[in-house]
Amino acid sequence: NEKSSEREFPYHVYGKICHKDMDVIKSELVSYLKEKLQESSRSDMNSILTWVNSLGNLGTEETTEVLLKVVEGKYTKNANPRTMAIYLMIRPAQENPALYRPIFSSIVENTAESPEVRMAAITALTYCKPSSADLQRLALRTWYEPSRQVASYIYSTLKTLKNLPAAIPEYETLKQKAEII
């Protein structure tokens, strides 16, 4: 993580050691992690979670494509790694919200999807600079949502957004939108 690494030990001693755009990461590490994820047994959740987490921590465009395949269920149908993949896509989603907003919205709207995956998508959606219309659609879902768990999560998410502290200026527009909703 470019932002937090500046406050960690190795950066202070050695300076910037590596970054996500290095050739060795793009050519060797990403392909290695992707291969290991494909080799993992669909029933071995520990190894799948490890490889998904490793790919997500890199935060490159290539790894995000693999994480999308995890969310789609191409590697496993289990909700845990799919939920983790969504949470790990938050950082790339902040950089390119227009690309990820429709992806997360479609997951939220898919009632056949597991509640855990849908709730992760709700959380990720809040990092994609949602419009008032996006938040309004979320609020309306609470009226006809078949899962009480998801409906409750939507309500608590909107309430939390509404109560964000005013001291954080970057969240001010999101707070105002949530207050209106």
Side-chain angles (χ1 to χ4, degrees):
N1 186 340
E2 297 286 329
K3 294 175 185 174
S4 66
S5 67
E6 295 175 4
R7 296 183 300 267
E8 295 173 359
F9 164 72
Y11 186 89
H12 290 294
V13 176
Y14 302 107
K16 191 173 190 174
I17 298 172
C18 67
H19 54 86
K20 66 181 181 180
D21 295 323
M22 290 178 67
D23 288 334
V24 69
I25 289 177
K26 287 189 171 194
S27 64
E28 295 178 31
L29 183 59
V30 172
S31 59
Y32 172 77
L33 294 173
K34 185 177 175 181
E35 178 184 317
K36 287 298 189 179
L37 178 62
Q38 290 170 343
E39 290 174 2
S40 297
S41 164
R42 288 182 176 254
S43 60
D44 185 10
M45 278 306 110
N46 288 333
S47 65
I48 290 175
L49 289 170
T50 299
W51 302 123
V52 167
N53 196 34
S54 299
L55 286 162
N57 285 339
L58 290 177
T60 66
E61 194 173 313
E62 295 84 4
T63 59
T64 305
E65 292 172 9
V66 178
L67 292 177
L68 282 171
K69 290 179 182 176
V70 171
V71 172
E72 291 171 1
K74 296 199 189 247
Y75 295 105
T76 180
K77 300 292 182 197
N78 189 300
N80 289 339
R82 295 171 62 229
T83 300
M84 179 188 279
I86 290 174
Y87 285 124
L88 291 168
M89 289 189 319
I90 287 175
R91 192 171 11 135
Q94 286 177 308
E95 296 170 8
N96 193 354
L99 176 66
Y100 292 93
R101 193 179 313 115
I103 294 169
F104 296 142
S105 293
S106 67
I107 294 169
V108 170
E109 293 169 6
N110 183 1
T111 56
E113 187 61 78
S114 73
E116 294 87 0
V117 174
R118 292 176 67 210
M119 290 186 297
I122 291 165
T123 301
L125 184 63
T126 63
Y127 288 91
C128 292
K129 298 179 183 164
S131 66
S132 294
D134 293 328
L135 294 178
Q136 185 68 40
R137 272 194 298 279
L138 266 182
L140 288 174
R141 286 205 68 77
T142 60
W143 294 359
Y144 58 87
E145 174 60 48
S147 168
R148 289 182 47 101
Q149 185 178 13
V150 172
S152 176
Y153 192 77
I154 291 170
Y155 173 79
S156 64
T157 298
L158 291 173
K159 187 173 181 178
T160 301
L161 291 174
K162 180 185 116 158
N163 295 326
L164 284 172
I168 307 171
E170 60 214 35
Y171 294 131
E172 189 60 35
T173 57
L174 187 58
K175 178 183 176 177
Q176 290 171 353
K177 290 174 188 175
E179 282 178 354
I180 293 169
I181 305 294

